[in-house]
C-alpha cells in the first residue's frame, strides 16, 4: 500500500475490530522503582518453552526500562478492573500511589484480583516499527476462572459473554419450567445482545455511525457539553482511544472543541443525533410490539429500579 494513501485515523478503528484482552505489565527499574503500563498487545508464542509476548511504544517513558528489564509480570485484568486499566494507561502521575502490592520474581509488583498472571524472565526484544516487541519466558503463572476477563473491542471496554447464537439455541430448547426460561439475568442478556445486534448495523448502514460514536451522541445531546475525561469516565473508555473517536466525529462536522477542551455537538451533530434517536425509537417500538403500553411502562420502571435510576 502507498503510505501517502494510508489513513492512520481509520487504521486504529480497523484494528479495534479485533477484540483483545486487557493487561497491565509491571517491572522495576534499575533503582528498584515500580513501573507499569496497560497493554492489549499480549499474546502467546510457544508452549515449549512457555513464551509470551507484548509490545510497547518506543516513545513511551517506560520503553527503555522494559527493554533492559530482566523480569516482568503480565497481569490479565478482570472485568472489575477498569479503573486499574485506566490508572496504568495514564501518563505523568505515580501509577502505584496508594497501592500496597506484593512482589514476585525480580521484585516485580503483582497486581491482585486479576483473571490471570504470568511472571516472566526476559527472553528477547525485537524491533517492530514504532514499537518494541518483548518476549518473555513464563516462570510462574496463576489464574482465577471465577473472574471474567476484561475485554477491549471497537475502542471500548467490554466483557466476554455467551454468543447470541448459542443463546438462541438455548431459547429454542428451553421449556417453561427450565431454570433459564425464568432467570432474569439470562433474559436481560438475551434481550440486550439481540437488540444491539439488530440496531448497531442499522446505524452503520444508514448513517455510517459506529457504536462508540452513538454513545457520545447520546451523552452530549442530553448534557449539552462535556470534556473528554468526563466522557471517558461515563463511558468507561480509555481517554486515549476515545480521543480518536471524537477526533473523527470532529472531522465529520458533528463535534466542536471549545478552547477549554469541552466538546459540544454542532448543528450538524444535533441533526444527526435526532436521526439516530428516531431510528433507535423505531427499533424499540418493534422490539416491544408484543407488550401493551402499561406493560412497557411497568417494565421500564422495574428496570430503572434495578439500575438505581430515578
Amino acid at each position: 500500500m502507498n503510505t501517502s494513501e494510508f489513513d492512520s485515523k481509520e487504521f486504529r478503528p480497523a484494528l479495534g475490530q479485533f477484540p483483545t484482552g486487557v493487561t497491565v505489565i509491571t517491572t522495576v527499574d534499575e533503582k528498584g522503582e515500580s513501573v507499569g503500563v496497560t497493554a492489549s498487545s499480549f499474546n502467546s508464542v510457544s508452549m515449549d518453552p512457555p513464551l509470551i509476548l507484548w509490545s510497547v511504544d518506543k516513545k513511551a517513558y517506560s520503553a527503555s526500562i522494559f527493554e533492559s528489564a530482566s523480569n516482568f509480570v503480565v497481569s490479565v485484568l478482570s472485568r472489575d478492573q477498569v479503573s486499574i486499566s485506566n490508572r496504568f494507561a495514564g501518563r505523568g502521575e505515580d501509577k502505584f500511589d496508594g497501592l500496597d502490592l506484593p512482589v514476585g520474581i525480580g521484585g516485580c509488583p503483582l497486581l491482585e484480583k486479576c483473571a490471570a498472571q504470568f511472571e516472566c524472565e526476559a527472553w528477547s526484544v525485537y524491533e517492530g516499527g514504532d514499537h518494541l516487541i518483548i518476549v518473555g519466558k513464563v516462570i510462574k503463572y496463576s489464574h482465577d476462572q471465577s473472574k471474567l476477563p476484561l475485554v477491549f473491542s471497537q475502542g471500548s471496554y467490554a466483557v466476554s459473554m455467551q454468543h447470541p447464537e448459542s443463546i438462541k439455541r438455548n431459547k429454542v430448547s428451553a421449556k417453561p419450567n427450565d431454570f433459564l426460561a425464568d432467570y432474569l439475568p439470562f433474559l436481560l442478556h438475551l434481550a440486550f445482545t439481540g437488540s444491539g445486534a439488530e440496531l448497531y448495523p442499522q446505524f452503520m448502514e444508514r448513517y455510517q455511525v459506529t457504536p462508540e460514536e452513538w454513545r457520545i451522541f447520546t451523552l452530549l445531546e442530553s448534557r449539552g457539553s462535556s470534556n473528554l475525561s468526563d466522557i471517558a469516565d461515563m463511558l468507561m473508555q480509555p481517554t486515549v482511544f476515545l480521543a480518536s473517536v471524537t477526533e473523527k466525529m470532529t472531522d465529520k462536522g458533528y463535534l466542536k472543541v471549545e478552547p477549554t477542551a469541552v466538546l459540544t455537538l454542532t448543528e450538524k451533530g444535533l441533526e444527526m443525533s435526532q436521526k439516530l434517536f428516531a431510528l433507535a425509537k423505531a427499533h424499540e417500538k418493534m422490539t416491544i410490539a408484543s407488550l401493551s403500553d402499561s406493560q412497557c411502562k411497568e417494565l421500564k420502571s422495574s428496570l430503572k429500579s434495578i439500575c438505581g435510576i430515578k
Side-chain angles (χ1 to χ4, degrees), residues 4-310:
S4 63
E5 299 176 355
F6 191 90
D7 189 340
S8 58
K9 291 182 180 179
E10 289 295 326
F11 186 50
R12 186 183 293 275
L15 293 173
Q17 290 299 103
F18 181 69
T20 66
V22 183
T23 69
V24 169
I25 320 295
T26 53
T27 190
V28 289
D29 62 17
E30 59 183 11
K31 297 179 181 179
E33 298 292 328
S34 297
V35 178
V37 295
T38 299
S40 59
S41 55
F42 169 74
N43 213 332
S44 60
V45 176
S46 167
M47 293 295 290
D48 186 17
L51 302 178
I52 56 89
L53 67 75
W54 67 287
S55 64
V56 59
D57 192 329
K58 290 180 179 178
K59 297 189 295 294
Y61 162 78
S62 59
S64 60
I65 298 173
F66 281 107
E67 183 179 16
S68 59
S70 58
N71 299 95
F72 61 86
V73 176
V74 178
S75 297
V76 179
L77 300 187
S78 68
R79 63 178 295 174
D80 300 320
Q81 294 183 303
V82 169
S83 61
I84 292 293
S85 173
N86 288 338
R87 173 193 283 252
F88 284 91
R91 297 179 180 178
E93 69 279 5
D94 182 0
K95 300 175 184 180
F96 292 88
D97 183 39
L99 297 180
D100 184 16
L101 300 176
V103 297
I105 61 171
C108 299
L110 301 174
L111 296 179
E112 299 179 292
K113 300 180 181 179
C114 298
Q117 202 160 60
F118 303 91
E119 299 183 53
C120 304
E121 286 183 353
W123 177 272
S124 189
V125 179
Y126 300 95
E127 287 287 327
D130 56 10
H131 277 58
L132 294 173
I133 300 170
I134 300 177
V135 180
K137 180 180 179 181
V138 179
I139 304 302
K140 184 179 180 182
Y141 69 91
S142 62
H143 62 105
D144 185 347
Q145 291 186 313
S146 70
K147 297 184 181 297
L148 288 176
L150 183 63
V151 178
F152 195 78
S153 176
Q154 295 182 322
S156 177
Y157 290 118
V159 293
S160 59
M161 295 190 297
Q162 189 177 8
H163 194 281
E165 286 300 318
S166 62
I167 293 175
K168 288 179 183 178
R169 288 195 292 272
N170 286 335
K171 180 182 177 183
V172 171
S173 63
K175 299 177 181 179
N177 60 345
D178 281 349
F179 175 79
L180 289 179
D182 197 44
Y183 183 52
L184 182 60
F186 172 79
L187 297 174
L188 292 174
H189 174 49
L190 182 64
F192 175 75
T193 54
S195 178
E198 294 170 352
L199 181 60
Y200 293 156
Q202 294 184 50
F203 287 155
M204 282 299 299
E205 290 169 8
R206 297 196 189 188
Y207 303 118
Q208 292 73 58
V209 169
T210 66
E212 303 81 55
E213 293 171 335
W214 156 246
R215 298 183 191 108
I216 294 173
F217 273 118
T218 59
L219 280 178
L220 292 182
E221 200 280 338
S222 61
R223 294 175 176 267
S225 60
S226 188
N227 61 49
L228 188 61
S229 60
D230 286 343
I231 293 175
D233 288 341
M234 287 184 283
L235 295 181
M236 293 181 65
Q237 293 179 320
T239 303
V240 63
F241 291 102
L242 193 60
S244 65
V245 178
T246 56
E247 182 180 1
K248 188 174 180 180
M249 291 179 69
T250 303
D251 292 342
K252 291 180 179 180
Y254 296 144
L255 289 181
K256 60 181 177 181
V257 184
E258 305 292 347
T260 53
V262 170
L263 300 172
T264 307
L265 288 175
T266 63
E267 184 175 343
K268 182 179 179 181
L270 289 170
E271 291 176 357
M272 177 54 73
S273 68
Q274 293 309 306
K275 292 178 181 178
L276 296 172
F277 292 167
L279 182 57
K281 275 296 183 182
H283 176 262
E284 178 192 49
K285 184 177 181 180
M286 179 187 68
T287 302
I288 60 176
S290 60
L291 301 179
S292 66
D293 288 345
S294 61
Q295 286 177 318
C296 181
K297 290 179 181 178
E298 185 177 351
L299 174 61
K300 288 185 176 181
S301 177
S302 298
L303 291 175
K304 287 179 180 179
S305 296
I306 292 174
C307 298
I309 300 175
K310 297 181 179 180

